[in-house]
Amino acid sequence: MERRKFLTTAALTAGSVALFGKRSLASMLADPTFQFKTLRGNVGMFAEKGGTIAWLVNKEGIAVVDAEFPEQATHLIGELKKQSDKPFQWLINTHHHGDHTSGNISFKGIVNNVAAHANSLSNQKASAAKQNSDDKQLYPDTTYTDKWKIKVGDEHITAHYFGAGHTNGDSFIHFENANVVHTGDLIFNRRYPFVDRSAGASCKSWITTLEAATKQFDKNTIFVFGHAFDPLKVTGNMDDVKAMQHFMESLVTFVDTSIKAGKSKEEIIGAKSIPGITEWQGDGIDRGLTAAYEELS
Ligand SMILES: [Zn+2]
Ligand SMILES: [Zn+2]
């Protein structure tokens, strides 16, 4: 396990990618192990299974954004404890989905506070009630509705809510000094997104939510994405945010013009491609098409 972990870490450096070749790198990433690395300053990322995590470690304490699943959260906590004996001050959830909040429970008794958008908390409670998994949740004790700010040591962390998108409770979490932003699932980088209409998602609003992000953050911002088609591209820059915005615009335009042209639901949902979109991959193109159709028809 230790050796595999070392290999994966080593493989993530550019030189090693060339050394090992693309195929063996992919097979190594299939191992049940994780990415844990610093992005800038005291802020880094963790990815194993589920939505990518961002973390901060400084002289005063530790903050974590999202929690994957219980086992993965335990791996992350172990890594962070190697870096620091300071208290876990905050766990912040970008939104309620299980691949971002199931691991909250691993922070029970470890973290001082858990925060999320108010809609994220109500969605989490509704999901847990439906799945009868209330006892497996660690719920946020702190909620906000638009903008919310905290300080951990010398780092300022701000949550921004710009409206519905992937759900009705998605926040961007900005580590301001490091200028690193966790986008949650508002960005599926080059991968067909999941659109949770049962939790208030909106394809149209998703576009304006991303537009607000392009105005709030800048060309030097490092972004951490909830998901990516390529596991090495769960982080990126403003161009990737704009690419996601272009994807959502193209999706909405295609479905809207198809409905107006009198195409059937089956024809629209069964489309194998979206005009103007070349980089998006993976399964589930129908998820966005279905959601957009239901929203626009
Ligand atoms: Zn997710
Ligand atoms: Zn999600």
Side-chain angles (χ1 to χ4, degrees), residues 23 29 31 96 134 155-156 159 171 186 212 225 231 237 265 296:
R23 198 158 154 262
L29 287 171
D31 276 354
H96 75 289
D134 206 52
E155 184 58 282
H156 295 267
S171 307
L186 288 164
F225 311 129
N237 60 32
K265 182 184 179 183
L296 297 165

Side-chain angles (χ1 to χ4, degrees), residues 95-100 166-167 170 184-185 188 194 196 227:
H95 67 297
H96 75 289
H97 283 149
D99 59 316
H100 301 254
H166 167 74
T167 68
D170 309 282
D185 284 359
F188 276 66
F194 177 53
D196 190 356
H227 304 277

Side-chain angles (χ1 to χ4, degrees), residues 64 66-67 69-71 73-74 76-77 81 88-93 101-114 124 133-141:
V64 174
D66 283 350
F69 299 95
E71 188 189 336
T74 304
L76 170 71
I77 290 166
K81 280 186 171 171
F88 284 74
Q89 292 192 10
W90 287 95
L91 169 62
I92 304 168
N93 291 136
T101 62
S102 300
N104 283 13
I105 195 76
S106 298
F107 288 86
K108 195 175 182 177
I110 292 176
V111 77
N112 295 350
N113 293 96
V114 185
Q124 189 182 351
S133 64
D134 206 52
D135 57 330
K136 296 191 181 74
Q137 310 296 319
L138 178 65
Y139 290 116
D141 51 60

Side-chain angles (χ1 to χ4, degrees), residues 149-225:
K149 217 174 167 93
I150 50 162
K151 205 168 160 280
V152 175
D154 59 3
E155 184 58 282
H156 295 267
I157 306 173
T158 304
H160 295 272
Y161 180 73
F162 295 134
H166 167 74
T167 68
N168 62 4
D170 309 282
S171 307
F172 291 92
I173 312 296
H174 191 192
F175 297 92
E176 292 184 354
N177 293 351
N179 196 9
V180 174
V181 170
H182 196 316
T183 70
D185 284 359
L186 288 164
I187 309 268
F188 276 66
N189 190 24
R190 273 75 176 180
R191 175 173 167 186
Y192 292 116
F194 177 53
V195 186
D196 190 356
R197 280 177 48 81
S198 74
S202 163
C203 295
K204 275 168 82 176
S205 174
W206 198 328
I207 298 167
T208 53
T209 292
L210 291 172
E211 176 68 22
T214 65
K215 298 209 167 93
Q216 182 67 45
F217 311 120
D218 60 51
K219 63 176 177 12
N220 296 316
T221 307
I222 296 172
F223 292 90
V224 177
F225 311 129

